[in-house]
Amino acid sequence: MGQRFIEKSYEETHTPNIVTAVLADYRGFDTMFETVVVFIAGLACFFIVRIRKDECIPDTYYYRHKTTGIVVHKKQLCALPLRGSAFEQVDADWAPQDVVITTICRLLIPFIQIFGLYVLAHGHYSPGGGFQAGVLIAATFILLAISHDLRTLVTRLKESTTHLVSATGVLLYFGIGVSMLLTGHHFLDYNGLAGLLGMSLSSGHSLGILLVEVGVALTVAASLITIFKLLSSKGTVTEGL
Amino acid sequence: MLDIFAQFTAKYNYWAYIVIMMVGLFAMIAKRNLIKKMIGLSIFQTSIMLFYVAIGAKKGATIPILLSGTDPHHIDATMYVNPLPHVLMLTAIVVGVATLGVALALILRIYEKHGTLEEDEIISQIRSS
């Protein structure tokens, strides 16, 4: 099997990276359902752990006045709605954040994200692909959450956004497959993409594999961020690591 | 006799994978703490990934990405390692992480309900109620 893939995959898929060729082309159907597994895992975590937003959990909550920096706390009460007030909620073990850690992470995160996109875009020419890129991008958001706090992450990347992105990835993968069916080719046969967009067979193939990998990366990144947010905050998605 | 011994030690890396696998299996069976069981599961998975990647290895071969300037009609299969195990393990790693997340979510719920992670204590709590 291995010998056949090595010798024939470039002729058949026009992709130098044999691993990506096998992953996205020969085993495209399998990879699609792997993506669905990751998507469902994120969804399952959400339904198992997430607590309703309006549910009252009596606990001691800490609030900081935004302009003066004075921290007050309320004992054995529900969390207060804070939309538009002069206070912001802070973690129970809140301390002024370490300048070194926050600055270094702030500088590092964009570079790691660009590297993630590079790994994604070069998935069929060099080592890389959707799964790896998704994990890298998720890691940057997790880094943001642990270097600042979880609330910073949630204000920048809303929960609904990650769910939408996660579903978009799966739909993109399915959509490529179904659009190939509609053009009269087999499911996930990227030759159809070349005819559809009027390009050469090899670039059509590359584009098909790239789009599929983008779908995988979106789902993996969003699902991993969701799982991290839920597990680190016991389902409240406000206070955690 | 020496022949058999040589055969058993020639591929010593496989023995290492078996040892790692047994460590994981032991943790899954013998430990009562649910988190420790999950750690055992992860160790077990890791050993299988190592095993698969080792199967695909060839002496003197490079990663399964065609070198630039290769004639696509005359590709020497001995120059590249087998890509198939890499593909299988690539997806297995990410799916493993995702399913581990679900397992930890379930454990979190169990801990909130029973206040303990020890399996025997949870079972006795369920029986007594």
Side-chain angles (χ1 to χ4, degrees), chain A residues 23-24 28 31-39 117 120-121 129-135 137 162-177 188 190 206-224, chain B residues 94:
Chain A
L23 185 83
T31 310
M32 187 172 82
F33 283 104
E34 303 259 13
T35 316
V36 175
V37 167
V38 175
F39 172 67
L117 292 177
L120 174 62
F131 284 98
Q132 297 92 320
V135 171
I137 292 168
T162 49
H163 286 297
L164 270 178
V165 168
S166 178
T168 310
V170 176
L171 281 179
L172 183 63
Y173 208 133
F174 266 101
I176 298 286
L188 285 173
Y190 307 122
S206 291
L207 187 69
I209 290 176
L210 179 66
L211 286 175
V212 160
E213 298 267 15
V214 169
V216 171
L218 290 178
T219 303
V220 169
S223 291
L224 289 184
Chain B
V94 177

Side-chain angles (χ1 to χ4, degrees), chain B residues 47-63:
Chain B
S47 78
I48 290 175
M49 284 159 198
L50 286 168
F51 174 68
Y52 262 76
V53 172
I55 289 175
K58 290 174 193 166
K59 246 195 191 125
T62 181
I63 52 171

Side-chain angles (χ1 to χ4, degrees), chain B residues 71-118:
Chain B
D71 180 10
H73 300 289
H74 298 97
I75 296 164
D76 184 10
T78 56
M79 262 178 71
Y80 304 98
V81 300
N82 192 348
L84 207 54
H86 290 238
V87 178
L88 297 176
M89 289 310 107
L90 178 70
T91 50
I93 290 167
V94 177
V95 171
V97 169
T99 48
L100 188 68
V102 177
L104 289 174
L106 287 169
I107 290 173
L108 197 67
R109 272 273 161 267
I110 290 170
Y111 183 73
E112 273 173 17
K113 186 150 186 256
H114 297 283
T116 175
L117 288 175
E118 300 296 319

Side-chain angles (χ1 to χ4, degrees), chain A residues 168-239:
Chain A
T168 310
V170 176
L171 281 179
L172 183 63
Y173 208 133
F174 266 101
I176 298 286
V178 171
S179 64
M180 295 304 97
L181 272 184
L182 293 179
T183 54
H185 291 75
H186 294 294
F187 191 69
L188 285 173
D189 178 3
Y190 307 122
N191 291 340
L193 213 59
L196 200 66
L197 300 169
M199 48 172 63
S200 68
L201 199 63
S202 63
S203 47
H205 242 285
S206 291
L207 187 69
I209 290 176
L210 179 66
L211 286 175
V212 160
E213 298 267 15
V214 169
V216 171
L218 290 178
T219 303
V220 169
S223 291
L224 289 184
I225 294 167
T226 311
I227 290 172
F228 171 79
K229 277 196 293 201
L230 290 166
L231 287 182
S232 65
S233 67
K234 288 189 198 161
T236 55
V237 196
T238 49
E239 194 171 325

Side-chain angles (χ1 to χ4, degrees), chain A residues 147-158:
Chain A
S147 66
H148 295 68
D149 55 3
L150 198 64
R151 230 169 264 115
T152 319
L153 174 65
V154 177
T155 47
R156 298 201 177 193
L157 192 72
K158 287 199 187 69

